[in-house]
Amino acid sequence: MAVTVSNIANMVLFLAKVYASYESKSLAVIASTLDSLLNLLSEFIMWFTAYAMKKPNQYRYLIGKKRMQLVGIIVFASVMASLGLQILLESDRQLISKIAPYTIN
């Protein structure tokens, strides 16, 4: 029950942050929204891997599915790294576009 309540609270928080991101267009709020999205994604990945590990199929997976959780963590880490890199690149782009070059008269 606690996991379900946590998932619902995270979904409500994510939707509120999506609205705040749309209204403010602030990179800090957008980064926080992406963090909430990653929380939801990590919960889904952990749920899916736990579900997959509970349903063994000896004919298809001879050694079992004990490493499914590791695969889920690797997938989540790669998504998290790519989103973090995208936020850094966008913030650098906005900073560079707002800095006017010095002109010598």
Side-chain angles (χ1 to χ4, degrees):
M1 180 175 159
V3 173
T4 304
V5 171
S6 173
N7 288 340
I8 292 170
N10 280 335
M11 183 61 79
V12 170
L13 181 64
F14 172 69
L15 293 175
K17 285 183 178 183
V18 166
Y19 177 73
S21 296
Y22 178 75
E23 289 296 320
S24 70
K25 296 181 181 42
S26 165
L27 280 180
V29 178
I30 292 170
S32 179
T33 304
L34 288 176
D35 183 52
S36 293
L37 176 66
L38 289 176
N39 282 338
L40 290 171
L41 181 64
S42 70
E43 288 175 5
F44 174 74
I45 289 173
M46 290 301 125
W47 171 82
F48 179 76
T49 56
Y51 175 76
M53 287 178 3
K54 286 180 185 176
K55 299 209 172 234
N57 184 348
Q58 285 185 310
Y59 300 109
R60 193 162 181 197
Y61 303 101
L62 297 175
I63 61 170
K65 296 182 181 180
K66 298 290 183 198
R67 298 189 185 221
M68 288 293 288
Q69 195 170 23
L70 178 62
V71 171
I73 290 170
I74 291 170
V75 168
F76 175 70
S78 61
V79 169
M80 188 173 178
S82 64
L83 283 175
L85 181 63
Q86 187 63 36
I87 289 171
L88 285 174
L89 291 174
E90 180 62 23
S91 61
D92 285 347
R93 186 190 67 77
Q94 285 189 10
L95 280 174
I96 290 171
S97 68
K98 291 188 183 201
I99 297 174
Y102 292 108
T103 58
I104 299 174
N105 293 334

